[in-house]
Amino acid sequence: MATETEQARTDGDAPPYRYTGALAAEIEARWQGRWAAEGTFVVPRTTEPGPAGKFFLMDMFPYPSGEGLHVGHPLGYIATDIFGRYLRMTGWRVLHTLGYDAYGLPAEQYAIETGTDPRSTTEANIRRYRAQIARLGLAHDPTRSVATTDESFYRWTQWIFLQIYNAWYDERGQRARPITELAAAYEAGGVPTPDGRPWSELSERERADALDARRLAYRARVPVNWCPGLGTVLANEEVTADGRSERGNFPVLRRELTQWMMRITAYADRLLEDLEHLDWPESVKTMQRNWIGRSEGASIDFPLRGTGAALEVFTTRPDTLFGATYMVVAPEHPLVDTLVPDAWPAPAPQSWTGGHATPLEAVDEYRSRAAAMTERDRQAEARPKAGVWTGAYATNPASGEAVPVFVADYVLAGYGTGAIMAVPAHDQRDFDFARTLGLEIRPVVAATDGRDPYDTSGWTDAYVGDGEVINSAGEAVSIDGKRVGDAKRAMVEWMESAGVGRGTVSYKLRDWLFSRQRYWGEPFPIVFDDSGRAHPLPESMLPVRLPDIDDYRPGALDPDDAGSDPEPPLARATDWVEVTVDLGDGPRRYRRETDTMPQWAGSCWYELRYLDPGNDRELVAPQLEEFWMGPQREGDTGGVDLYVGGVEHAVLHLLYSRFWHKVLHDLGHLSSREPFRRLFNQGYIQAYAYTDRRGVHVPAGEVVERGGRYWYGDEPVTRSYGKMGKSLKNSVSPDEICNRYGADTLRLYEMYMGPLDVSRPWETKAVVGQLRFLQRVWRNLLDEATGSPTVVDEAPDPGTERLLHATIDAVRAEMEALRFNTAISRLIELNNHLTARRAPVARSVAEPFVLMLSPFAPHAAEELWARLGHDATLAYEPFPQADPGKLSSATVTYPVQVDGKVRATVEVPADASATDVEAAALAGVAGWTEGRAVAKVVVVPGRIVSVVLTKRA
RNA sequence: GGGCGCGUGGUGGAACGGUAGACACAGCGGGCUUAAACCCUGCGGCCUCUGGCGUGAGGGUUCGACUCCCUCCGCGCCCACCA
């Protein structure tokens, strides 16, 4: 194993086999080469579990940016690698690999900035990431790594799109079904047609429309963040607080455009229910629950006076219907135009009319002002409630009273029905609005907090608590005297029987906007005919390749022109856009869809492709999916056994992928109901950052400390602290650490810094501690001058043996719980013990030690293992097992407390009875109990003795 | 405003309700060395020090509380006019 060149590479006059950064680098390169050559971590395409079972282990895959990795990125990868190596050594068949999420706006922007095409920059970035990650010695199956931009990958992304497009949601069966079954359901009358006419009376075109109306992927006109300056719509996360684009700082305008949508709302209840079965952090589950935002309530129809129409509202408080003294519709509500009369029907105060001569004028003026505001402006806190009367009245269905209808932007068009009944006495927002406009506040629930339940003149806020219903008796219905809960039920019951309302459920979750006017994404497998109708391409025509084009920039338009239309870059690929295909009725000319899919698309399903990356006939072979991800017991959802990544994906990625997974499950492609059975959020690596006096970040690596202050060159700078990354200019490259200390030291350091789920500050000068640890291990087992092992084939001393088994016991427990920081502490303690003995280490201690070290420092451990005389890799060696007989010693030391304070320790035989322990303890603290009676003695076996004295008089 | 977390030495952190501060970084001392580094080894919460006080503050439960319960303070994250 030792070579002449090794010696030439060691530092200065250090012994030739001292474990230094240089020696580590050499060892690491050698073992990485050997693992690759021998295919050590390649997982066969079979369905054979290990003795302990199978384990599908996964990281959230990286987006390969142009900056390369910093030491924060691989934190999770190192953790999963350690866990995977441990699992392998404890008999599990482990599937672990890493792919690349490579489509999306950052790659495209980077390409534009560097003047190269996205494909070549993306490929270069992936190569760089692969090289940087390879240096860390991760035991990934290299044959399963995929990139979302691979044709062999995105062809299946497109295939899944077609599956979703060709499906509808059967509410009765609560699952997706193929669209072909919808026609049958329409025909049989099981599902009503959009306008209620029988299926047989519909024309061909109407039938196609009826099918399109229920698809899970559909086109609709929706409000979007339109950024003419960038020529694309943007996701909400790409819009800054002041309504401009994150990239380029162009205005972002609200505009209605026809876009592809995904009907994720159909799955709202199932996405909610299955959270119960997932082993996920409670915080992430809560975020998803809030995002879905299910609330139970009622829909109520308020007839509009003077028209045949009714205004439908959603409320969670049907019990307060008698307290509804006015109504509010959102400015965008479709009924606004029809309900506005020509003139004010009655004299109205200035606060209602805004001083306008006619309702139309008032409403128009208010609406145009609301439209000019950005979404952020509208939602700004502490903005006084404002609005105008529409001039219309509706009828409260319970009391028969006339209630005025207002337009106000505190009601959102996108939630519920976009209209509310306002109960100012019991809703804070309505209360604020009523006080501003001078509207009646009528209590209908008796307040129990001391305020006057009947006279609201002294109220400073709405009463939202429970209480007895009052003022709620009418000719049709009376609920006076009931508590809020009962009153809700009674009201819904009455409304349903009277036909004026019904119990309903509302969600905050919206359908998912799935189009982007960008180049660098998956093309849709869709073409349009002359009439503009969308047609899916058949599976045989996949993949629809992303064409190479000369100018992949988005169309640059007047940044302030909200009326402009997007010009997707693909539209300029005219040869590609115009296509002649035969969709069953002979070859015809079509135009391709020129939008592309959002960045989430590939990450929605990549876990499935890891299972069967080379399969060109199926997304994944069913038996492989069932083996790796299938449910394992009654009620189990199935899914990846452990998914590790940052909490920033708590909602979007993790909700979208759950949605796709459920559709594919419903359509019979997957046995698992959920993609990720267990989720773990690792913390971030943070670091100090420095700003100059203009507040601009300076490179943290070049800042020096002098006299308690920080300097960048001659300029004093201010220290701050935050997540490591490009924006704070505080990145540290893993390459730099690998060069100085080696990858094993980096791995140990990152894991040792703290619990995996907690963010921790990077400190380069602290890394040396882990190098010293490895050096001591090395020196305890090898001769630094020759590299030969110094271990002896003798039995270890009893103390060392006991510590070894205690360490094994503890390390196993820490590993199972992903507590790698404390597992490493245990190994350090054992090694410190070996160091302090200053004697050769017994082989029976050295070998288990090396095996326990190997998940953390695999290269050094492999080298030690080989030098101890083993030929094969230790990756599949059984992990040491503690011998219970060697864990305990002959005696036990008990701390003895008197009145809660430790006063002595006593040593007793391990098999001493509680009585004996008590006697020894009392003898040990005799000096402390003098003159006082012992009231009670608590003996906790193996732990502690607690003596309680009688109270001093 | 709502929800979820978290507060322990100079620093990162450890502690099934059972001797608070393991382990490590930084610091200080001893040994080795011509010397320095490395290495080995020791010290280290605070105080009026045979004892007392200490895990953000205050209370409670318990033989015993960093840990469980209540109130408050501070910090972080997420959502936020969702009817």
Side-chain angles (χ1 to χ4, degrees):
Chain A
M1 207 46 73
T3 63
E4 300 300 316
T5 54
E6 260 177 66
Q7 302 190 19
R9 298 207 39 196
T10 51
D11 294 348
D13 55 356
Y17 289 95
R18 171 156 297 168
Y19 186 84
T20 60
L23 182 58
E26 191 183 302
I27 291 168
E28 286 162 9
R30 183 144 34 83
W31 280 99
Q32 284 162 16
R34 186 165 156 192
W35 295 328
E38 295 180 2
T40 306
F41 301 111
V42 172
V43 185
R45 267 56 162 182
T46 60
T47 55
E48 224 172 288
K54 64 84 204 178
F55 201 99
F56 186 7
L57 177 62
M58 236 177 94
D59 303 275
M60 290 187 187
F61 64 172
Y63 187 92
S65 77
E67 285 84 40
L69 290 179
H70 61 66
V71 291
H73 290 115
L75 182 70
Y77 309 153
I78 292 170
T80 51
D81 183 57
I82 288 165
F83 192 54
R85 285 175 181 271
Y86 170 76
L87 291 172
R88 231 173 255 118
M89 295 173 80
T90 48
W92 296 81
R93 168 142 293 176
V94 178
L95 188 110
H96 193 196
T97 189
L98 189 70
Y100 294 90
D101 184 20
Y103 274 132
L105 188 66
E108 195 167 335
Q109 289 293 321
Y110 182 75
I112 290 168
E113 283 159 20
T114 57
T116 36
D117 76 285
R119 181 164 300 281
S120 61
T121 56
T122 298
E123 282 169 3
N125 290 347
I126 290 176
R127 273 196 303 277
R128 178 156 173 216
Y129 266 56
R130 283 212 163 101
Q132 285 187 298
I133 287 169
R135 282 194 79 177
L136 301 172
L138 305 179
H140 292 162
D141 180 345
T143 68
R144 293 175 186 261
S145 180
V146 297
T148 54
T149 47
D150 295 340
E151 255 180 45
S152 59
F153 186 94
Y154 74 71
R155 115 170 230 162
W156 293 104
T157 310
Q158 294 170 337
W159 181 87
I160 294 169
F161 177 85
L162 289 177
Q163 293 293 313
I164 297 171
Y165 176 83
N166 285 315
W168 61 293
Y169 200 75
D170 175 3
E171 297 290 346
R172 208 169 305 170
Q174 275 294 300
R175 67 178 192 90
R177 292 169 61 186
I179 197 77
T180 48
E181 296 176 16
L182 178 59
Y186 273 141
E187 186 152 23
V191 174
T193 57
D195 59 6
R197 285 185 297 152
W199 182 249
S200 55
E201 288 177 19
L202 301 186
S203 69
E204 196 67 15
R205 176 162 276 276
E206 287 168 332
R207 287 182 174 188
D209 286 340
L211 292 178
D212 284 353
R214 310 264 319 210
R215 293 179 188 274
L216 290 184
Y218 63 98
R219 278 159 57 78
R221 205 168 162 76
V222 290
V224 294
N225 297 309
W226 166 232
C227 178
L230 287 177
T232 180
V233 300
L234 295 173
N236 288 334
E237 312 82 79
E238 292 158 349
V239 183
T240 62
D242 55 347
R244 300 179 82 86
S245 62
E246 195 99 63
R247 296 259 178 179
N249 197 32
F250 293 111
V252 174
L253 309 151
R254 294 298 278 181
R255 165 130 161 63
E256 290 212 340
L257 290 170
T258 300
Q259 304 276 312
W260 282 101
M261 305 291 290
M262 291 263 173
R263 205 179 302 278
I264 189 171
T265 50
Y267 281 82
D269 273 327
R270 282 170 61 190
L271 290 168
L272 208 51
E273 282 159 19
D274 273 341
L275 283 175
E276 305 299 326
H277 304 288
L278 296 178
D279 182 6
W280 283 21
E282 205 47 49
S283 60
V284 175
K285 289 189 186 183
T286 303
M287 281 190 235
Q288 293 217 345
R289 284 191 195 107
N290 290 344
W291 189 264
I292 295 167
R294 182 182 201 273
S295 46
E296 289 184 10
S299 288
I300 309 177
D301 298 320
F302 283 64
L304 287 163
R305 300 211 163 174
T307 76
L311 190 54
E312 186 186 3
V313 302
F314 174 77
T315 180
T316 55
R317 295 294 302 274
D319 55 306
T320 62
L321 180 51
F322 280 94
T325 52
Y326 66 100
M327 303 183 76
V328 182
V329 296
E332 300 85 357
H333 195 284
L335 275 182
V336 171
D337 289 317
T338 61
L339 55 76
V340 175
D342 294 334
W344 298 115
Q350 156 96 22
S351 63
W352 289 31
T353 62
H356 291 281
T358 67
L360 190 65
E361 199 182 302
V363 169
D364 274 351
E365 198 270 341
Y366 182 77
R367 280 201 298 184
S368 57
R369 249 190 309 140
M373 267 189 273
T374 66
E375 200 70 358
R376 304 264 183 178
D377 290 340
R378 265 185 77 161
Q379 297 184 359
E381 206 180 348
R383 199 162 61 87
K385 300 266 181 296
V388 293
W389 186 29
T390 61
Y393 286 100
T395 303
N396 183 319
S399 65
E401 288 176 292
V403 289
V405 180
F406 288 79
V407 173
D409 65 5
Y410 82 89
V411 170
L412 308 176
Y415 182 75
T417 62
I420 62 156
M421 65 177 209
V423 185
H426 304 294
D427 180 282
Q428 189 58 41
R429 296 152 299 180
D430 297 343
F431 183 89
D432 295 341
F433 188 79
R435 277 281 156 92
T436 308
L437 274 74
L439 291 154
E440 184 193 351
I441 299 171
R442 181 193 305 162
V444 290
V445 177
T448 56
D449 60 356
R451 68 178 82 191
D452 187 328
Y454 290 92
D455 178 7
T456 62
S457 58
W459 289 20
T460 54
D461 58 1
Y463 177 73
V464 296
D466 196 1
E468 202 168 279
V469 171
I470 55 174
N471 290 336
S472 295
E475 283 172 25
V477 59
S478 170
I479 54 169
D480 274 348
K482 292 184 191 297
R483 310 283 297 182
V484 164
D486 290 337
K488 284 183 182 178
R489 278 185 287 276
M491 209 52 175
V492 168
E493 207 171 292
W494 169 75
M495 289 190 301
E496 288 178 352
S497 66
V500 300
R502 61 222 72 85
T504 48
V505 176
S506 190
Y507 300 90
K508 286 193 229 172
L509 184 67
R510 301 270 77 89
D511 276 344
W512 173 18
L513 192 156
F514 198 71
S515 319
R516 299 292 183 270
Q517 289 75 45
R518 292 175 183 162
Y519 170 68
W520 193 233
E522 298 87 348
F524 284 78
I526 291 286
V527 292
F528 296 96
D529 62 24
D530 293 340
S531 71
R533 179 178 295 283
H535 298 268
L537 290 170
E539 216 179 303
S540 60
M541 291 185 193
L542 301 184
V544 176
R545 289 191 178 79
L546 183 66
D548 292 323
I549 58 177
D550 295 333
D551 184 6
Y552 38 81
R553 268 162 247 260
L557 304 162
D558 176 356
D560 295 307
D561 180 6
S564 55
D565 284 317
E567 296 169 12
L570 284 180
R572 295 197 289 269
T574 43
D575 291 351
W576 178 83
V577 171
E578 300 292 338
V579 63
T580 302
V581 289
D582 183 350
L583 297 179
D585 50 359
R588 287 168 185 263
R589 300 280 292 170
Y590 295 94
R591 278 183 62 83
R592 291 186 189 274
E593 171 60 78
T594 54
D595 285 355
T596 53
M597 299 188 197
Q599 203 192 323
W600 309 106
S603 61
C604 268
W605 72 279
Y606 71 115
E607 73 282 358
L608 296 167
R609 198 58 180 171
Y610 285 162
L611 304 179
D612 201 4
N615 195 333
D616 56 6
R617 299 179 322 280
E618 300 156 304
L619 178 80
V620 52
Q623 70 275 15
L624 290 174
E625 187 273 333
E626 196 173 351
F627 172 68
W628 288 107
M629 295 182 74
Q632 292 178 338
R633 69 197 89 78
E634 191 66 24
D636 182 23
T637 58
V640 171
D641 294 292
L642 176 62
Y643 190 34
V644 176
V647 72
E648 70 271 20
H649 292 117
V651 179
L652 299 181
H653 159 57
L654 287 170
L655 201 62
Y656 296 151
S657 50
R658 293 181 63 212
F659 163 52
W660 277 32
H661 203 93
K662 287 187 182 304
V663 177
L664 291 171
H665 170 83
D666 285 355
L667 297 177
H669 301 298
L670 304 175
S671 68
S672 45
R673 300 207 311 267
E674 285 279 338
F676 311 112
R677 178 189 278 120
R678 181 174 175 207
L679 175 72
F680 188 97
N681 292 129
Q682 95 272 1
Y684 299 111
I685 286 191
Q686 318 228 61
Y688 290 112
Y690 303 87
T691 46
D692 63 19
R693 71 172 77 80
R694 292 167 305 157
V696 176
H697 283 102
V698 302
E702 294 167 36
V703 172
V704 292
E705 186 187 347
R706 273 197 310 267
R709 297 188 60 189
Y710 301 95
W711 302 85
Y712 176 60
D714 295 331
E715 195 186 356
V717 289
T718 310
R719 188 165 85 159
S720 61
Y721 180 66
K723 188 175 163 188
M724 184 176 279
K726 190 177 99 166
S727 56
L728 299 186
K729 289 196 182 167
N730 58 356
S731 293
V732 175
S733 159
D735 301 331
E736 180 190 331
I737 304 300
C738 285
N739 291 341
R740 275 168 68 186
Y741 302 100
D744 284 337
T745 294
L746 174 63
R747 293 167 58 109
L748 279 165
Y749 174 68
E750 293 215 1
M751 292 302 104
Y752 188 67
M753 290 162 84
L756 190 56
D757 55 354
V758 172
S759 294
R760 66 290 304 267
W762 177 268
E763 217 183 339
T764 298
K765 68 176 182 183
V767 176
V768 70
Q770 297 304 313
L771 178 68
R772 287 183 195 145
F773 166 51
L774 288 176
Q775 275 177 346
R776 286 184 198 123
V777 171
W778 192 261
R779 194 160 38 233
N780 282 335
L781 305 184
L782 300 180
D783 183 327
E784 285 192 313
T786 65
S788 309
T790 55
V791 299
V792 290
D793 289 311
E794 287 166 15
D797 67 281
T800 301
E801 186 170 61
R802 202 160 49 241
L803 181 60
L804 171 70
H805 286 271
T807 304
I808 292 170
D809 201 45
V811 168
R812 274 191 172 251
E814 310 285 18
M815 295 299 259
E816 299 284 347
L818 306 177
R819 288 193 300 256
F820 302 132
N821 54 329
T822 44
I824 295 169
S825 299
R826 294 294 191 150
L827 293 174
I828 293 174
E829 280 179 283
L830 175 55
N831 189 57
N832 286 351
H833 172 83
L834 298 178
T835 305
R837 280 182 70 252
R838 303 217 206 193
V841 177
R843 178 175 289 273
S844 62
V845 174
E847 295 199 338
F849 183 86
V850 169
L851 292 175
M852 284 194 285
L853 179 66
S854 69
F856 300 98
H859 314 87
E862 289 270 24
E863 185 70 15
L864 287 166
W865 190 245
R867 287 180 187 270
L868 287 171
H870 300 276
D871 293 331
T873 173
L874 51 56
Y876 293 89
E877 286 294 321
F879 201 83
Q881 205 131 20
D883 179 344
K886 290 174 178 165
L887 273 172
S888 48
S889 63
T891 61
V892 181
T893 303
Y894 282 92
V896 185
Q897 292 181 339
V898 179
D899 283 345
K901 301 207 184 309
V902 176
R903 298 302 188 186
T905 58
V906 294
E907 194 171 341
V908 298
D911 56 359
S913 68
T915 324
D916 294 344
V917 173
E918 184 174 328
L922 287 174
V925 295
W928 293 94
T929 59
E930 247 171 281
R932 313 223 351 240
V934 172
K936 187 176 175 186
V937 178
V938 181
V939 177
V940 185
R943 280 282 176 196
I944 200 167
V945 181
S946 184
V947 177
V948 191
L949 301 181
T950 51
K951 291 225 159 58
R952 237 183 266 269

